[in-house]
C-alpha cells in the first residue's frame, strides 16, 4: 500500500507541471553480512522527484527533491535477536544548471538538506568531445563536495578526470578521482595491540577502467569488463575506507527498446582481492556477482519502468527494487 501511495503522489506531481521530464519512487533494502552469523541491515525507502527544462537550446535547468527514511537493524541469527539500532530521516533539494555547445558541456549543481542543516553537495564539471575518423574522444574534469554518508555525517571534497574513446562497436573509459574526507575518526595499525587513533582528514584515490564491445546492435547486447583500485590513507569506522583494494569483473549487458517495450539487463561476475589490513596482512579475497533487470513500457505520454538489482559476495549482499515513472 505504501508503494502504491508513492506512485499516486508521483503521478499527481507529473501532471502539475508542463516541463517535468522524470519522476520516480525507489525502494531499497541493503543487507551486510558478518561471518554469516550476524548482520546489520539497512532499509532505505527513497522517493525522488525531478523537474527539468531546456532554455534556448544551449541551457538546461533542473530541480530535484529526494526523501529517505532509513532504518538500521542488528540481527544475531544464532540468538534470534533483531534490534533496531537507529532510524534517520533526510531530505535533500538539488539545483542543476548546465550549458552545452557542439563540443563543450559545463555542468553545475548544488544541494541542501533542511534536516541536516547543511549544503550536501556542490560542484562543476567541464566536458569536451572530439569526433574524428579514428573515433570519438571524450574528456571531462570535475571538482566539488559530496556529503556521501549521512549515517556518520561524512563528507568529502573531490576532484577527478575522465577519458573515453568510442569506435564502431568498441568503447572504453578511464576515470581517476582524488578525495579528501574532511573530518574522520581515523586509525593506523602498527601491530596487533598497537592502533593509533587520530582526528583529521583522510585522503583517498579511486581508479576505474571499463571497456565494452557490442556483440549485437539489434539486441543491444554488449560484452563488458572493468577494473577498480581504491585506497585511503587511513582506516576509519565511519565509512568504507579500503587499503589498496583491487577488483576486476566481466559480464554481459543488454539495453534496447522494441516498439513500446523498453528493456535492459546486466550480468557480471568478478574477483575482489579485499586489499590489505592496516598492519599489512592480506584480506581474504572474494568472488562476487551482480545481476539486474529493467522492463518498461512507453504509453506515449508517460514511460513506466520496473527494475531490480542483486549483488552478492562472501560478506555483503544488496537487493534493490524500484519503479520509475517518466512524464513526457
Amino acid at each position: 500500500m505504501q508503494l502504491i501511495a508513492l506512485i499516486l503522489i508521483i503521478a499527481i506531481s507529473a501532471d502539475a507541471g508542463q516541463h517535468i521530464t522524470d519522476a520516480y519512487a525507489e525502494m531499497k533494502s541493503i543487507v551486510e553480512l558478518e561471518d554469516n552469523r550476524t548482520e546489520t541491515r539497512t532499509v532505505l525507502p527513497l522517493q525522488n522527484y525531478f523537474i527539468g527544462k531546456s532554455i534556448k537550446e544551449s541551457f538546461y535547468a533542473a530541480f530535484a527533491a529526494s526523501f529517505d527514511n532509513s532504518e538500521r537493524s542488528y540481527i544475531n541469527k544464532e540468538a534470534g535477536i533483531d534490534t533496531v539500532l537507529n532510524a534517520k530521516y533526510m531530505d535533500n533539494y538539488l539545483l542543476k544548471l548546465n550549458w552545452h555547445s557542439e563540443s563543450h558541456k559545463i555542468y553545475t549543481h548544488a544541494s541542501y538538506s533542511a534536516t541536516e542543516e547543511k549544503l550536501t553537495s556542490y560542484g562543476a564539471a567541464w566536458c569536451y568531445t572530439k569526433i574524428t575518423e579514428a573515433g570519438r574522444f571524450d574528456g571531462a574534469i570535475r571538482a566539488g563536495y559530496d556529503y556521501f554518508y549521512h549515517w556518520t555525517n561524512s563528507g568529502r571534497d573531490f576532484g577527478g578526470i575522465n577519458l573515453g574513446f568510442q569506435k564502431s562497436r568498441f568503447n572504453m573509459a578511464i576515470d581517476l578521482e582524488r578525495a579528501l574526507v574532511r573530518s574522520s575518526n581515523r586509525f593506523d595499525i602498527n601491530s596487533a595491540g598497537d592502533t593509533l587513533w587520530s582526528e583529521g582528514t583522510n585522503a583517498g584515490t579511486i581508479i576505474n577502467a571499463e571497456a565494452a564491445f557490442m556483440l549485437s546492435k539489434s539486441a543491444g547486447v554488449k560484452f563488458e569488463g572493468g577494473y577498480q583500485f581504491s585506497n585511503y590513507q587511513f582506516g576509519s569506522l565511519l565509512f568504507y575506507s579500503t587499503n589498496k583494494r583491487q577488483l576486476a569483473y566481466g559480464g554481459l549487458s543488454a539495453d534496447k527498446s522494441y516498439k513500446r517495450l523498453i528493456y535492459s539487463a546486466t550480468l557480471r561476475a568478478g574477483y575482489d582481492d579485499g586489499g590489505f589490513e592496516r598492519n599489512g596482512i592480506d584480506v581474504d579475497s572474494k568472488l562476487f556477482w551482480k545481476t539486474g533487470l529493467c522492463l518498461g513500457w512507453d504509453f506515449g505520454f508517460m514511460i513506466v519502468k520496473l527494475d531490480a538489482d542483486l549483488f552478492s559476495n562472501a560478506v555483503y549482499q544488496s537487493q534493490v527494487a524500484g519503479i520509475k515513472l517518466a512524464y513526457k
Side-chain angles (χ1 to χ4, degrees):
M1 289 301 294
Q2 182 181 7
L3 182 57
I4 295 175
L6 293 177
I7 296 171
L8 291 176
I9 291 173
I10 290 173
I12 294 171
S13 300
D15 289 333
Q18 181 180 357
H19 304 293
I20 290 179
T21 58
D22 231 358
Y24 64 91
E26 188 175 41
M27 307 291 289
K28 292 183 180 179
S29 176
I30 302 173
V31 179
E32 297 176 352
L33 302 179
E34 300 174 3
D35 300 325
N36 293 322
R37 294 190 300 271
T38 64
E39 64 186 44
T40 58
R41 179 179 60 206
T42 304
V43 179
L44 173 61
L46 175 65
Q47 305 172 50
N48 193 11
Y49 304 92
F50 180 94
I51 178 172
K53 177 175 172 55
S54 296
I55 306 171
K56 294 184 179 180
E57 297 184 355
S58 297
F59 293 91
Y60 179 80
F63 175 78
S66 63
F67 311 92
D68 87 62
N69 192 12
S70 307
E71 181 180 280
R72 302 192 79 183
S73 302
Y74 172 77
I75 301 170
N76 187 317
K77 296 179 179 179
E78 294 179 343
I81 299 173
D82 188 343
T83 305
V84 176
L85 296 177
N86 199 3
K88 187 172 183 179
Y89 171 78
M90 178 179 170
D91 61 7
N92 196 51
Y93 306 95
L94 171 70
L95 178 65
K96 299 177 65 175
L97 298 173
N98 303 337
W99 173 87
H100 69 89
S101 65
E102 183 176 348
S103 300
H104 301 268
K105 295 180 181 179
I106 296 177
Y107 300 89
T108 64
H109 75 276
S111 64
Y112 177 81
S113 172
T115 52
E116 301 295 295
E117 298 182 340
K118 66 175 64 181
L119 286 172
T120 53
S121 179
Y122 52 83
W126 169 69
C127 306
Y128 177 75
T129 299
K130 180 70 173 179
I131 299 177
T132 68
E133 293 182 356
R136 170 175 170 162
F137 297 86
D138 296 285
I141 299 174
R142 67 184 182 275
Y145 169 78
D146 179 26
Y147 183 62
F148 67 95
Y149 196 38
H150 70 77
W151 276 101
T152 57
N153 299 317
S154 299
R156 63 186 174 193
D157 299 288
F158 65 87
I161 183 171
N162 179 276
L163 299 174
F165 171 76
Q166 182 176 345
K167 175 68 173 181
S168 185
R169 294 173 178 259
F170 174 78
N171 69 277
M172 64 176 295
I174 299 175
D175 187 86
L176 169 64
E177 180 171 290
R178 285 283 291 171
L180 187 67
V181 181
R182 291 188 176 184
S183 180
S184 171
N185 187 12
R186 60 192 192 182
F187 67 87
D188 226 345
I189 300 175
N190 291 333
S191 61
D194 185 15
T195 302
L196 301 178
W197 293 89
S198 60
E199 291 289 335
T201 59
N202 194 357
T205 300
I206 300 175
I207 301 173
N208 280 295
E210 295 182 319
F213 182 80
M214 182 73 72
L215 299 175
S216 172
K217 289 186 177 181
S218 60
V221 177
K222 293 180 181 179
F223 172 78
E224 48 191 19
Y227 167 83
Q228 183 184 93
F229 171 83
S230 57
N231 181 56
Y232 279 89
Q233 182 180 3
F234 298 96
S236 178
L237 299 179
L238 301 181
F239 59 94
Y240 188 43
S241 50
T242 54
N243 188 4
K244 298 180 181 179
R245 174 180 177 239
Q246 301 182 80
L247 63 87
Y249 68 86
L252 296 173
S253 69
D255 189 359
K256 197 69 174 177
S257 61
Y258 176 73
K259 295 183 179 180
R260 292 186 176 271
L261 176 65
I262 303 168
Y263 67 87
S264 62
T266 302
L267 178 61
R268 290 178 177 177
Y271 178 79
D272 183 352
D273 73 358
F276 298 91
E277 297 286 0
R278 295 292 157 174
N279 56 6
I281 299 176
D282 286 348
V283 177
D284 291 338
S285 57
K286 310 169 187 68
L287 296 175
F288 68 88
W289 59 267
K290 178 181 180 181
T291 182
L293 177 65
C294 176
L295 295 174
W297 191 265
D298 188 347
F299 289 92
F301 67 97
M302 181 176 66
I303 297 175
V304 179
K305 290 184 179 181
L306 299 173
D307 65 86
D309 295 277
L310 300 173
F311 176 87
S312 179
N313 62 20
V315 297
Y316 176 82
Q317 293 180 0
S318 69
Q319 304 92 31
V320 179
I323 181 170
K324 181 176 182 178
L325 305 180
Y327 181 78
K328 295 182 178 181

